[in-house]
Amino acid sequence: MVLPLKDKGAVVPFATSGTMRRYSVPHSWQILKKVLGLYQLTMDIIKMIRVCKMFRQGLKGFREYQIIETAHRKNPVFSFWDGHFPPKAIQITQKKPAWRTEHEIQALCNLLQILDSYRSYSEPLQLLLAKVMRFERFGRRRVIIKKGQRGSSFYFIYLGTVAVTEDEDGSSAFLDPHPKLLRKGSYFGEMGLLTSVRRATVVCMEETEFLVVDREDFLANKLDQEVKKDAQHRFEFFRKMDLFHSWSDEKLWKLVMLGKVEKFSYGQVISKDFVESSSIMFVCQGSCEVLRLINLETSPFYHKWIWQHLQLVDDRPSNTHLKDLSPVERFKEFQIRTYPVQDFSLMKLLHLQKAQGQQGSSFSRKIKTSGNTLPKTLGSKIKSRCPHFIDCSMINTKYGDLPKEAAVGAYMKIHTVEQGDILGLHQILLPENQHDMRPLILISLGAEVIRVREEKFCDLLDSKTIENLSKFKIKYPSDEDMCQKFLKENSWNIFRKDLLRLLVEPRQCPRFTPIQPKKKGIYSPKPVMLDLYSLGKKTKPRHPVFMAPQKYLPPLRIVQTILAPRYKIQELLPQYKNAGVLG
Ligand SMILES: Nc1ncnc2c1ncn2[C@@H]1O[C@@H]2COP(=O)(O)O[C@H]2[C@H]1O
């Protein structure tokens, strides 16, 4: 709303009558702080970060749609999109090149922007290819290229997956647990057109759609130059690596021919079990995360941790407990727990001892929560909670009983590999019986990688390279170490939230809640939380519940966080009731 000039002051609350002061810097800061509200600002930033994160993760599925959508807006020829090559586009590719109109060629060109390899070509080349390419669709197990035969076509994969094999009929792809796969957006068949003999067999792993360019068009449109450019790019990438300093160009070209650049979008799984895949991965661009799926139940530290926290569960309903404890109180609790005062340390020690003592014994179906667990040294001032029992089912594990619901797994990040890093070399020199075979999952953070089969790479190794490789020894942390780190991070996250709520003044006005349609329960973040308050309480199952893949772990619920009960300051050290810099 635009106000008349003389009324402008009215839109600025807290304005003083002095015009000079109204526009001074400290005053505008006050306006920012009070009117806009630092709280509002922080919450907006947090919301934006979350939205961006969700968007980036969701982008994987929608990336293609977005590209298609822009193409549509530019040239709305194809009226629907379900992932397959649209029927109208098929009709165009069925026409002879000379009969395709300019408009149709442009429309095809727009549609093919979703293919990484095609998109990387110059626009004139894209148009030339759109003029000549034809469409083909083949079913699972269909052999597209046979090793040793003469090559006559070049293929872009529009939809589906093919495997590259060394045998003639491609059957090994269906037996190999980690076949060499090429997916949507990749191309193949270029080598046979450059050298006239097919170097490998290519077989469809599922129904696959291709756009095919014949040899004459491939050469006439100088596609061979593009293919050579790609290979040169890989060569230069390897040339810069310290590991290959001693390699001759000839030898390096052999490595270049062993793999192609594969692009993965943000959040896409590159390998479900990198260790078992027996491949070496070179990160050309972007980065990826190495994750482990860990069964927390196998950690003695987790056992201790759970039992220590379960003793603090009180009998109030889970959400009221959280609401009752204000951020200020929770922060004070934290402060007290970290004070090195004698009585507190002693209390903590006693508490830990007690928890450890209890851990050895087998628990019944009822867990006794804290009542008389508080140390007597703290005197009569301390109000201890009434003990009560949580009724829940237990499972028997190596380290004793554990509430069934607390038997969960979590994906944990081991490290991030960046551009120029190599994965899969860390145990290449170790004898097989000393290999750490724990599965590692590789997730792309928007990465471009070159994958090479380990045995093919080993064929190229010489003594100098082997000497260099001995520097690549990395020892991945034990599962137990990772469990401890996970629980520490969990506590840190709780603390961070407390601190934020404490530092940022809550808004005076009521929270804005948009009118929400009735929840259908399709998505809830709850399934990825283990809430120790709700153990033994009947809660509605929510979906999706993420379960560990059976191949690696028994069916376990996957969690991201654990909500744990915490000490109350009044119960522990009433003399510090008013402690706290911000209290
Ligand atoms: N290691 C590899 N990685 C990716 N693609 C390959 C690999 N080896 C062969 N190919 C492809 O498989 C095709 C088989 O036929 P061509 O030799 O014509 O061209 C070959 C390449 O396009």
Side-chain angles (χ1 to χ4, degrees):
M1 188 176 70
V2 182
L3 292 165
L5 198 61
K6 64 181 167 78
D7 288 342
K8 264 193 176 165
V11 291
V12 185
F14 313 111
T16 59
S17 55
T19 356
M20 287 299 285
R21 281 194 62 202
R22 243 170 65 188
Y23 297 103
S24 65
V25 174
H27 191 66
S28 23
W29 165 242
Q30 232 179 5
I31 292 168
L32 179 74
K33 197 174 149 201
K34 291 191 176 162
V35 181
L36 294 177
L38 190 56
Y39 180 83
Q40 179 65 52
L41 196 67
T42 320
M43 291 314 279
D44 286 349
I45 294 170
I46 293 171
K47 260 184 238 163
M48 279 314 293
I49 292 172
R50 283 191 189 154
V51 168
C52 289
K53 200 173 158 191
M54 280 161 64
F55 191 69
R56 276 204 303 187
Q57 284 169 354
L59 208 61
K60 190 193 141 204
F62 289 108
R63 190 171 143 226
E64 290 163 6
Y65 174 74
Q66 279 181 329
I67 296 165
I68 285 278
E69 229 225 354
T70 3
H72 265 226
R73 256 186 268 130
K74 243 167 111 184
N75 222 326
V77 167
F78 312 113
S79 54
F80 77 97
W81 182 72
D82 61 355
H84 290 277
F85 200 61
K88 275 202 173 178
I90 296 178
Q91 280 173 15
I92 299 172
T93 55
Q94 281 165 347
K95 288 184 188 179
K96 282 186 179 169
W99 294 359
R100 298 180 194 179
T101 66
E102 236 175 75
H103 181 252
E104 286 171 338
I105 293 169
Q106 183 65 54
L108 263 187
C109 183
N110 289 341
L111 180 70
L112 295 174
Q113 296 304 306
I114 50 170
L115 308 183
D116 287 330
S117 48
Y118 182 85
R119 199 173 55 242
S120 65
Y121 301 148
S122 67
E123 210 177 324
L125 179 58
Q126 288 182 13
L127 290 169
L128 285 170
L129 290 173
K131 192 170 178 178
V132 295
M133 56 183 31
R134 61 196 159 79
F135 172 78
E136 305 241 25
R137 183 187 288 138
F138 297 113
R140 182 175 151 89
R141 286 187 180 269
R142 166 72 187 254
V143 175
I144 309 296
I145 285 178
K146 241 186 196 171
K147 187 178 176 173
Q149 287 193 342
R150 195 175 168 272
S152 61
S153 303
F154 171 81
Y155 299 80
F156 290 102
I157 305 174
Y158 186 82
L159 189 74
T161 316
V162 297
V164 180
T165 67
E166 294 287 324
D167 59 356
E168 271 193 16
D169 63 356
S171 56
S172 63
F174 299 94
L175 302 170
D176 186 348
H178 296 276
K180 169 92 212 161
L181 299 176
L182 299 176
R183 296 185 177 83
K184 179 174 187 141
S186 295
Y187 64 77
F188 62 89
E190 76 292 0
M191 293 176 185
L193 299 189
L194 296 175
T195 60
S196 84
V197 175
R198 297 294 196 192
R199 285 170 54 112
T201 297
V202 179
V203 61
C204 294
M205 297 300 283
E206 56 188 319
E207 190 183 66
T208 309
E209 296 179 0
F210 304 98
L211 287 150
V212 190
V213 181
D214 290 326
R215 175 188 272 270
E216 307 75 57
D217 297 321
F218 179 84
L219 297 172
N221 291 313
K222 298 197 170 65
L223 219 71
D224 53 333
Q225 301 298 325
E226 297 298 325
V227 167
K228 282 179 189 160
K229 248 194 245 167
D230 280 357
Q232 185 66 31
H233 173 73
R234 272 175 282 158
F235 179 84
E236 278 158 23
F237 167 73
F238 286 133
R239 207 5 111 227
K240 279 190 212 139
M241 298 188 101
D242 291 343
L243 185 65
F244 306 124
H245 261 173
S246 61
W247 287 29
S248 66
D249 283 0
E250 194 193 343
K251 191 168 171 174
L252 207 58
W253 274 109
K254 282 188 186 158
L255 178 62
V256 168
M257 290 304 156
L258 290 182
K260 282 189 194 150
V261 175
E262 294 172 68
K263 291 184 187 183
F264 293 90
S265 29
Y266 188 93
Q268 199 176 347
V269 178
I270 301 176
S271 176
K272 277 184 194 158
D273 185 353
F274 180 68
V275 174
E276 206 192 68
S277 75
S278 308
S279 48
I280 311 291
M281 192 98 72
F282 299 89
V283 184
C284 319
Q285 211 147 67
S287 53
C288 5
E289 276 183 351
V290 182
L291 307 182
R292 276 268 305 133
L293 175 56
I294 292 176
N295 181 356
L296 293 174
E297 183 197 305
T298 59
S299 155
F301 187 85
Y302 178 68
H303 271 253
K304 250 186 238 171
W305 193 91
I306 287 286
W307 284 118
Q308 279 164 14
H309 284 86
L310 280 178
Q311 289 180 61
L312 298 168
V313 176
D314 65 23
D315 47 0
R316 278 172 288 174
S318 57
N319 42 6
T320 55
H321 181 102
L322 284 172
K323 275 181 196 154
D324 283 351
L325 211 59
S326 77
V328 179
E329 282 174 304
R330 282 164 72 137
F331 185 68
K332 279 179 187 168
E333 268 181 33
F334 170 81
Q335 280 187 315
I336 297 308
R337 282 202 283 147
T338 51
Y339 276 166
V341 287
Q342 203 195 345
D343 52 358
F344 179 67
S345 313
L346 187 63
M347 184 218 73
K348 195 168 178 177
L349 190 72
L350 286 170
H351 191 79
L352 284 174
Q353 277 169 356
K354 187 128 195 160
Q356 274 161 11
Q358 282 189 355
Q359 212 222 316
S361 63
S362 169
F363 280 72
S364 68
R365 303 200 153 247
K366 291 194 170 181
I367 304 163
K368 192 178 174 209
T369 69
S370 75
N372 48 7
T373 51
L374 292 170
K376 293 195 172 55
T377 44
L378 293 172
S380 56
K381 278 187 218 159
I382 293 159
K383 266 197 292 162
S384 67
R385 291 175 199 148
C386 293
H388 73 285
F389 293 93
I390 304 171
D391 210 352
C392 65
S393 51
M394 296 278 172
I395 54 159
N396 197 282
T397 74
K398 203 167 130 194
Y399 302 101
D401 288 341
L402 195 69
K404 202 173 160 196
E405 282 177 67
V408 291
Y411 284 103
M412 296 181 200
K413 186 174 110 179
I414 297 185
H415 71 152
T416 307
V417 267
E418 307 284 350
Q419 183 176 340
D421 288 345
I422 314 173
L423 266 161
L425 288 182
H426 64 293
Q427 33 191 13
I428 202 166
L429 300 179
L430 289 177
E432 221 156 89
N433 61 356
Q434 285 177 31
H435 279 196
D436 179 352
M437 292 309 286
R438 291 178 296 158
L440 297 178
I441 301 146
L442 213 61
I443 305 283
S444 159
L445 299 178
E448 287 183 18
V449 300
I450 302 175
R451 245 192 284 215
V452 171
R453 284 250 183 214
E454 193 182 312
E455 75 270 13
K456 298 250 176 197
F457 180 76
C458 287
D459 290 344
L460 295 173
L461 293 183
D462 52 31
S463 56
K464 178 83 187 131
T465 322
I466 290 176
E467 193 190 313
N468 287 341
L469 274 178
S470 57
K471 293 172 201 151
F472 274 86
K473 270 183 205 149
I474 313 170
K475 206 165 182 296
Y476 284 123
S478 69
D479 287 2
E480 180 60 18
D481 285 348
M482 275 188 282
C483 258
Q484 293 189 14
K485 201 170 158 241
F486 172 79
L487 293 172
K488 277 175 198 157
E489 263 172 26
N490 197 70
S491 307
W492 165 246
N493 283 336
I494 296 174
F495 164 70
R496 236 178 31 176
K497 278 185 197 153
D498 282 357
L499 189 62
L500 188 73
R501 280 194 220 125
L502 178 85
L503 293 177
V504 180
E505 237 177 74
R507 274 186 300 184
Q508 298 305 314
C509 53
R511 187 184 279 263
F512 170 71
T513 24
I515 306 155
Q516 285 175 340
K518 216 172 163 240
K519 271 192 189 145
K520 291 202 180 97
I522 290 173
Y523 178 76
S524 154
K526 284 272 167 67
V528 287
M529 282 180 199
L530 167 61
D531 186 356
L532 294 185
Y533 289 107
S534 62
L535 279 192
K537 296 186 179 99
K538 283 217 165 71
T539 47
K540 263 199 210 156
R542 303 216 198 190
H543 300 282
V545 174
F546 301 102
M547 302 297 280
Q550 294 246 356
K551 187 180 164 199
Y552 305 108
L553 295 176
L556 277 181
R557 185 155 76 97
I558 300 297
V559 296
Q560 270 177 4
T561 32
I562 303 175
L563 295 181
R566 313 178 72 195
Y567 291 99
K568 283 193 109 179
I569 183 67
Q570 293 81 358
E571 291 173 354
L572 295 178
L573 293 170
Q575 63 266 48
Y576 286 107
K577 211 165 67 190
N578 297 319
V581 279
L582 298 157

